[in-house]
Each structure stands twice: as structure tokens, then as C-alpha cells.
Amino acid sequence: MKTIFQLVDLPDMPFSSSSLHRLNTAIEPPKRLNNPFGYQLHPLAMSAMKEVQDYLSGMTLWKDELKKGKMFGVLVVETPEGMLGYLAAFSGQLLGKSQCDGFVPAVFDYLQPDGYFKKNEERISQYNTKIDALENDAVYLNARIELNSLQQQFKKQLADATVWLKEEKSRRAKLRAERLLSSAEEDSLIGESQFQKAEYRRLKHRLEAELEEKRTALSEHEQTLTQWKETRRQLSDQLQHWLFEQFNMLNARGEHRNLLDIFAQTPQRVPPAGAGECCAPKLFQHAFRHGLKPIAIAEFWYGDSPRTTIRHHGRCYPACRGKCLPILGFMLQGLDVEKEYHEPAELLIPSIVYEDNYLMVVDKPAGLLSVPGRSERPSVYSILSNSMDEDSALWMVHRLDMGTSGLLILAKNVQVYHHLQVQFRERLVKKRYVAIVEGEVKPSEGVIELLLRPDPLDRPRQVVDMVNGKKAVTLYRVLSTKDGKTLLSLEPKTGRTHQLRMHCAHPDGLHAPIVGDELYGHPAERLFLHAASITFVHPVTGEELSFTALLPEAFKAFRCAQSLLGL
């Protein structure tokens, strides 16, 4: 098989020749490193990425493993002698190994067969085996079944006895109501009541004694299980702590810091599982260890998409924020890195569609945030707030993604805000979006329903989770199809984050990403999603208000379909 990688053979370099690959190109290097969390792909990185993808496509022995899908990355570097090359990496392990020829090694290889991690992992596995055997022991399971059965029987006996006591009490009350009883008769009824209560207590004590006997028979077994589980937890925590200490990350200044120290200042306090094993930390670590200057980076997905989230084969993705943001925040110190946010050439301004003393409806352009974010990027809220009197205030009732254009409601006092929030929460607000999606959509109309939740390690990305996800429902209708793209009307019946984007892109939805969806589809000039209409009840007047926003100029290929929308 022809090797696609052009391996550098420089015997004076203090690292394996299989880690650095020559990049023969006349492309001019960028002035600064692109930001790993929000970047435009540089041609140098694109060239390196193409070589790695060609190499992977020829690895027939890896075919099954690669088909499952994995994140790969390339880092274009410059040697001390001024030669350009690139490093390649994969996230986690490949074929059960931390290192494969042609790719940089792990920051710390804990998979050595006789190493500390594997030995202690084996100890934990032994406890797993023991616990599993004990939990599935036939004698133990039968004893638990008997205990549960007895508990149900005794519960019923006590319930029946309680009913009987009440019936007897009612009978005595009826006797007293019918006529005046003699002292002897009254004493007899009192004695009867006392006896019956005593019988109930004796029954309860007898049943509890029988249950306790069964519990005692199980207690030794369960104490052993509890002890083993606690030991397993302690061993696991200790091993994880040890592992995070071994990941000593380097930065461009030559400083070291382990993962525990890096994450100590973050909200989560401790590193998440798999921290330090993503492509970007591996690439920068290898570069800094060997005196290579980072020039440009790219990370891409290779293979099938996971079922829970959406990844496209060959598509570039920014580094994950949950694991990599704290790590790279340290590692990139000392490097000249591009900002994640660039000021647009023209200031985007929301246009006011409706305004009175209580609320405001605006048409937000694509590319403008709804509310302030991490950067200094302007937002609908900041622009409109700055234009108001000092004694005035605004409340953002709902939001649109930065790339989405269309209608937004803002409240001018907290009472109106809360009233509108209730309307949204009770799903009384009617919204309709227009989207251009990739490909043709069939059937021409229907309902999409998926269970969605955020990915805590890669916000704001959403994933499908059939266990912990929240119900998300959207009605869709095909309006027009042209040049391999489809114009859709979308009516969300719930308000989950990225609901429409996930419903369009996911294979269990329409499997047709919205054009320009950089998270779940492919980049374009903009995200072709537009909040076209909204209907709600005015919190003060009680009048039903309905507003529409014309399709933006970017939708001009489908402007002829506006009549279908009633816009």
C-alpha cells in the first residue's frame, strides 16, 4: 500500500520521524494560530487534513474501527530550522491503543499492560466481578424475593386489620347511638376495644419480627456488598486522581500543570473523564515537547455519525469546551492566537416591528446575538437597551440562535415579562419558522418528535437521549423544492434549545440539515433559519397580536414561495 503520509527523516530531531510529516507547499503561513474553538480553516491545515483523510481511506485493516466514527486532528507546525510540517492525532484510543504509527502519542499512555493504571484497573475489575456474582447469587436473589413477597403480604394483613378495627369501632358507636347502655355493657365494649387494639399490636409485632428475621439473613450478604462497593469507589477515585496527576500539560512558555490543577479553578472543580485525550491537547503537547511552533489547527470527524449526536464524515469541528477549554486555556499561553470573535464589517441592527408602552417586537438579523454572550459581541438586548432612557429597562422574553433571523419579543416591565413567560411555558404562543434544508424532504408534511438534552461537555450542542432527554415536537410542511434544496415551514410545539436544527439534521428526524448549520450540518453564508411569524396575547389589553417578518434577501432563491407563507 502506498503511504500517503510523507514522513520527515531528520536524524537530528529529538523525536520519532513517524510523528512529523513534511508539508510541501507554497501556501503562506498565517500570522497567528487560528482559535481552536471558533476558526476559519486555513489552507495549510486543509492540505494536511486532506493527506490524513487519504491515508485513513487506504487503511483497510482499520476499516471496521473507522466506520464507527472518530475525531482526528492536524496541527501545522514549523521546526526550529524553518521547515513546515504537520502532526496528526486521534481522540482517545484507536484499535484499543493510545499510539499508532503516523500519529502523535498520548499525553500520558496509561494503557501499558504492566503499568500502574492497568494493574489497579484490574483490581477494580475484580471487585466488579465479585459484586456482580454476589448480586446475582441465587440464594441471595431468592431471599430478596421472599422478603419482598412477605413485605407485600404483611402490608395487606395490616391494611385488612386496620379496616377491621374501624368497622368494629363503627359497630360500637352504632350500639351507643341506638340506646343508653348499662355500665356493664359499656365496660364490655371498652374491654372489647382494648383487646382488639392489643391484638392489632401483637399482629404488627409478630409480622415485624418475621421480617426482621429475613432481613437479618440478608444483612451479612448486603454488608459485604456495601463494603465491596465502597472499596471499589475508593479505588476508582484514587486511580482517577492518580491518572489526572500524570497528565502534565505543557504550554508555549514551557510551564507544566497537571489536570487537577488546571480544573481546580473551573466550576466543575475536577476534570471530566477523558480530559487530556482529545486531539488538540495531544497535538500541542507534542509540539511543545519538541520545540515546534504551532501554525494552524483543524479537527475533523471521520466515519459514521453517533446515534445520539450529529457528526458529518470529513467535516471540521471546533474543540469541545467541557474538556478542552480549560486545558487549552493553559496550553496556549505564550502563543499569538486569533480571537474567537471578529467584529463584523457592518453593525447589525434589529428593526422594530411593533412597540407600545408594555412590549416590543423586533426583527433580528442573522449574525446578531439575542443576549450578551462570552465575548464583547453586540446583541439585540444590548443595542436596544443602550438606545433607551436611563430609567427604562427591557426583559428578553425568549431567544433566537445567533445565526437565526426573525421575530423576537421584549418586555418593558417585569409584570409583562412574567405574563409572556407563562404564555411560552404553557405553549400558548404560536411560532412559525422557515428553513432551507439540504436535499429533498419526504413525506411532504409530518410530525418530528425526539428526546433532546444538552451535551454538558460540548455546549451548546444537543444530543438525542431516549432516557434523560426532554420531549421536543415539531410540525413540518414542504413549501418548495429547488436545486436540491427544500424550503420548509416549521412549527415548534415545544421550545427546546436547537430543536429545529436537531429535528432537521438528525437521521431520526428529517435527515436534512438546515443549510449553513455549522453545528449539525455544513457551513454556508448564514444559517438559513428564519422566525417568520409569531402570535400571542397582549398581557395588558388581552388582544391577540400576530406579526410576520419577510424572508431575508439570502432566501431570494425561494422568494417566490412567500405567498405560500402568507408573508
Side-chain angles (χ1 to χ4, degrees):
M1 182 191 71
K2 180 181 178 182
T3 301
I4 305 298
F5 281 144
Q6 298 183 43
L7 304 183
V8 175
D9 185 15
L10 297 174
D12 58 328
M13 296 294 287
F15 55 93
S16 169
S17 63
S18 64
S19 296
L20 180 64
H21 308 280
R22 191 183 303 277
L23 196 59
N24 295 319
T25 177
I27 299 173
E28 187 72 19
K31 295 181 178 179
R32 56 178 60 88
L33 178 71
N34 55 327
N35 194 301
F37 298 99
Y39 55 86
Q40 295 296 318
L41 186 62
H42 191 273
L44 283 174
M46 189 180 301
S47 177
M49 186 176 73
K50 176 66 166 56
E51 285 193 12
V52 175
Q53 290 177 349
D54 288 345
Y55 175 75
L56 293 173
S57 67
M59 294 299 291
T60 55
L61 295 177
W62 295 3
K63 183 178 179 181
D64 292 340
E65 179 78 6
L66 293 174
K67 183 173 174 57
K68 300 174 186 175
K70 180 168 284 294
M71 193 70 74
F72 289 82
V74 293
L75 180 65
V76 179
V77 294
E78 184 179 74
T79 69
E81 295 77 17
M83 184 195 77
L84 282 182
Y86 70 89
L87 306 171
F90 50 82
S91 179
Q93 289 86 43
L94 186 61
L95 300 173
K97 298 187 293 184
S98 295
Q99 185 171 359
C100 295
D101 288 345
F103 298 92
V104 301
V107 174
F108 174 70
D109 185 3
Y110 55 88
L111 297 181
Q112 296 301 318
D114 297 324
Y116 180 88
F117 183 87
K118 297 300 289 184
K119 287 180 179 179
N120 282 273
E121 187 181 51
E122 177 58 29
R123 288 182 64 196
I124 295 171
S125 295
Q126 290 172 1
Y127 273 99
N128 287 335
T129 302
K130 290 164 64 176
I131 290 168
D132 184 64
L134 203 56
E135 286 181 330
N136 291 283
D137 178 76
V139 174
Y140 171 66
L141 291 176
N142 288 334
R144 286 202 60 85
I145 291 171
E146 288 180 15
L147 176 61
N148 290 333
S149 179
L150 278 178
Q151 285 174 329
Q152 295 303 315
Q153 292 176 27
F154 293 171
K155 185 178 180 180
K156 185 177 185 307
Q157 287 183 51
L158 289 175
D160 291 343
T162 300
V163 171
W164 175 72
L165 282 177
K166 289 180 178 179
E167 290 174 347
E168 286 295 293
K169 183 178 180 180
S170 297
R171 181 182 61 80
R172 288 190 292 272
K174 184 178 179 182
L175 287 174
R176 291 186 177 102
E178 289 175 349
R179 62 184 176 86
L180 184 63
L181 301 177
S182 66
S183 297
E185 287 174 326
E186 185 64 37
D187 290 343
S188 176
L189 290 181
I190 291 172
E192 185 182 85
S193 175
Q194 291 173 342
F195 175 78
Q196 290 171 351
K197 290 178 180 177
E199 279 289 284
Y200 179 83
R201 288 193 296 270
R202 283 189 286 271
L203 173 64
K204 188 174 181 181
H205 290 155
R206 179 174 60 80
L207 297 181
E208 288 179 347
E210 289 185 43
L211 287 176
E212 186 59 31
E213 184 180 346
K214 291 292 183 181
R215 293 192 187 102
T216 301
L218 285 169
S219 63
E220 183 177 346
H221 201 111
E222 292 182 334
Q223 284 175 8
T224 301
L225 270 176
T226 301
Q227 291 171 359
W228 285 355
K229 288 180 178 180
E230 177 60 21
T231 301
R232 179 182 63 180
R233 185 192 65 78
Q234 291 177 359
L235 289 174
S236 180
D237 289 348
Q238 290 169 6
L239 184 59
Q240 191 76 288
H241 189 279
W242 174 87
L243 181 62
F244 291 145
E245 283 184 324
Q246 309 314 305
F247 275 77
N248 276 293
M249 316 307 294
L250 264 173
N251 69 12
R253 298 170 181 161
E255 300 165 337
H256 292 259
R257 189 174 294 175
N258 68 43
L259 292 182
L260 291 174
D261 292 336
I262 288 174
F263 278 86
Q265 306 304 317
T266 65
Q268 60 260 51
R269 305 286 294 173
V270 295
E277 299 185 70
C278 296
C279 297
K282 284 185 178 182
L283 291 166
F284 286 114
Q285 185 84 350
H286 195 78
F288 296 149
R289 276 178 176 169
H290 301 293
L292 303 172
K293 179 185 177 182
I295 300 295
I297 188 170
E299 294 183 70
F300 64 92
W301 183 261
Y302 193 95
D304 291 346
S305 176
R307 291 300 300 176
T308 56
T309 187
I310 300 169
R311 301 285 190 189
H312 296 277
H313 175 69
R315 161 81 197 282
C316 284
Y317 292 91
C320 64
R321 292 184 175 274
K323 294 180 185 179
C324 292
L325 184 59
I327 297 173
L328 297 185
F330 167 73
M331 296 187 78
L332 298 183
Q333 291 177 18
L335 287 181
D336 187 8
V337 183
E338 285 203 2
K339 292 182 179 180
E340 191 175 346
Y341 162 64
H342 296 278
E343 196 74 38
E346 59 176 310
L347 183 61
L348 301 171
I349 301 293
S351 58
I352 297 175
V353 176
Y354 172 86
E355 183 176 11
D356 61 22
N357 293 330
Y358 308 103
L359 58 85
M360 182 186 300
V361 179
V362 301
D363 186 355
K364 182 186 85 68
L368 183 63
L369 288 170
S370 295
V371 296
R374 290 183 299 268
S375 65
E376 298 178 358
R377 192 190 297 260
S379 66
V380 171
Y381 180 82
S382 62
I383 292 171
L384 294 177
S385 294
N386 291 335
S387 67
M388 298 183 70
D389 298 334
E390 290 185 4
D391 57 348
S392 300
L394 285 175
W395 283 260
M396 185 67 68
V397 179
H398 62 122
R399 304 179 187 184
L400 295 176
D401 291 340
M402 184 179 72
T404 304
S405 57
L407 298 170
L408 276 172
I409 308 172
L410 295 91
K412 291 188 175 183
N413 65 57
V414 71
Q415 291 81 15
V416 169
Y417 166 77
H418 287 309
H419 191 288
L420 289 168
Q421 283 277 290
V422 170
Q423 290 191 51
F424 273 94
R425 189 164 56 248
E426 299 298 324
R427 302 176 186 174
L428 301 175
V429 179
K430 298 175 184 177
K431 296 178 290 182
R432 185 156 52 119
Y433 291 74
V434 179
I436 299 177
V437 299
E438 301 175 8
E440 297 185 7
V441 174
K442 293 181 180 180
S444 60
E445 61 181 45
V447 180
I448 312 162
E449 184 173 329
L450 295 174
L451 298 178
L452 305 178
R453 67 162 175 81
D455 181 350
L457 297 179
D458 198 10
R459 293 182 184 275
R461 181 178 292 275
Q462 303 293 300
V463 298
V464 173
D465 187 335
M466 303 308 291
V467 177
N468 300 308
K470 292 184 177 181
K471 186 177 180 180
V473 181
T474 301
L475 306 182
Y476 77 89
R477 180 165 59 94
V478 173
L479 299 174
S480 180
T481 301
K482 183 177 182 181
D483 299 330
K485 295 183 176 65
T486 301
L487 183 71
L488 292 178
S489 169
L490 300 169
E491 294 184 35
K493 297 303 179 182
T494 52
R496 310 299 175 205
T497 301
H498 292 181
Q499 174 176 320
L500 300 181
R501 296 166 68 176
M502 280 290 285
H503 277 178
C504 288
H506 198 274
D508 294 333
L510 297 181
H511 206 185
I514 297 174
V515 175
D517 191 341
E518 295 188 355
L519 267 183
Y520 309 111
H522 306 90
E525 60 183 280
R526 60 156 289 179
L527 175 67
F528 280 79
L529 180 62
H530 178 67
S533 70
I534 193 163
T535 301
F536 60 96
V537 174
H538 195 291
V540 178
T541 68
E543 179 187 1
E544 183 177 83
L545 301 178
S546 186
F547 301 98
T548 60
L550 292 176
L551 291 179
E553 178 63 25
F555 284 71
K556 60 185 178 182
F558 287 97
R559 291 299 276 274
C560 58
Q562 286 201 146
S563 59
L564 297 171
L565 299 165
L567 300 179

